[in-house]
Amino acid sequence: AALTSCGVSPPVLAFTARTDPDFAARLIEVGLDDCFVTGTLDAPGLTRALALGSARKRLRVRLIAESLTDELTGLYNRRGFLRVGTQFLDGARRRGCGAWLLFADVRGLKQVNDRSGHVAGDRVLRATAELLRGSFRSADVVARLGGDEFTVLAGDASESSRELLLLRLRGRVDAARQATRVDAGYGLCIGTARFRPEGPATLDELLRLAGEDAAAEKRRHSSLP
């Protein structure tokens, strides 16, 4: 209780009569924080085991979070998006709820990097992350897939909400452009794909469809005078 009240998740310790080290190792592999032979710990030893187990748990949580997070923007990275996004769609399918997947390609990033350097390019990527983070609910999944590619899973979204989502994003691009402090035609090419709970579409398939839609928009934009 004292550990919980301090905001530290108590470790999970196993006490067993088995002295087999392979058995203990298997328990650690499935998520326990430590394993002890029954009767080998006195009160000070148990206190020390709890402290070390809690430290191990905090380290494990931090390492998992870092492996799923994009360092530059703080959004999920591709690995995090695939893991959390798959869980997101599984939940939506169970509830019978539709969703939209949006794929956003940053327009003008190469020109920013070429003209103003990668520090300016990083500023563009962070501004894009803030644009997306501020345009969707905390329950939605926002990620940077890598390079200039971002994606969002917007849940509990009706078929007709697509235009509203796009309008909201495009209405905030000017503010993001100002935050980048660059002059090279910053913008977003956005593609979408619809998730229907009764359909067989996977997350990879939705990404492919939305990416193709964004590429088509980029071609249309590049053909404009």
Side-chain angles (χ1 to χ4, degrees):
L3 286 170
T4 304
S5 66
C6 293
V8 178
S9 176
V12 180
L13 307 180
F15 292 86
T16 176
R18 295 183 59 169
T19 59
D20 179 5
D22 291 336
F23 177 72
R26 288 197 297 273
L27 293 179
I28 301 299
E29 287 175 357
V30 299
L32 273 70
D33 295 294
D34 217 331
C35 180
F36 303 94
V37 177
T38 305
T40 60
L41 281 184
D42 55 12
L46 179 58
T47 300
R48 183 173 183 273
L50 286 169
L52 292 175
S54 293
R56 244 190 316 271
K57 176 168 284 188
R58 287 193 298 270
L59 177 61
R60 185 184 302 124
V61 169
R62 180 168 63 82
L63 291 175
I64 291 173
E66 289 176 355
S67 74
L68 303 179
T69 304
D70 176 56
E71 183 177 2
L72 178 66
T73 64
L75 300 178
Y76 286 115
N77 59 20
R78 179 180 288 273
R79 181 186 296 110
F81 180 73
L82 292 176
R83 176 180 293 188
V84 176
T86 298
Q87 296 170 351
F88 183 98
L89 292 185
D90 288 344
R93 186 172 278 115
R94 286 194 301 271
R95 298 193 311 274
C97 299
W100 282 104
L101 186 144
L102 288 79
F103 182 98
D105 193 336
V106 179
R107 191 172 66 244
L109 181 62
K110 184 178 185 303
Q111 289 86 341
V112 171
N113 285 329
D114 291 345
R115 297 176 188 176
S116 305
H118 287 277
V119 171
D122 288 350
R123 196 161 61 238
V124 167
L125 293 171
R126 284 192 292 266
T128 302
E130 288 304 312
L131 163 65
L132 295 173
R133 188 184 284 116
S135 299
F136 293 90
R137 300 166 302 177
S138 59
D140 297 328
V141 185
V142 186
R144 179 188 174 205
L145 297 177
D148 58 1
E149 298 178 346
F150 292 78
T151 190
V152 180
L153 262 177
D156 297 321
S158 66
E159 293 270 359
S160 60
S161 61
R162 176 182 180 274
E163 294 307 319
L164 180 62
L165 292 173
L166 293 178
L167 186 64
R168 183 193 306 164
L169 277 177
R170 287 169 176 149
R172 299 182 180 188
V173 166
D174 283 342
R177 184 182 293 112
Q178 293 175 11
T180 66
R181 305 196 301 277
V182 297
D183 298 324
Y186 169 80
L188 295 177
C189 292
I190 304 170
T192 61
R194 179 67 178 167
F195 170 77
R196 297 177 176 83
E198 69 280 5
T202 65
L203 188 57
D204 283 335
E205 177 71 4
L206 294 173
L207 278 171
R208 183 184 67 79
L209 293 172
E212 290 174 354
D213 193 28
E217 182 184 345
K218 179 181 283 189
R219 288 193 295 271
R220 287 193 297 271
H221 185 273
S222 63
S223 67
L224 293 176

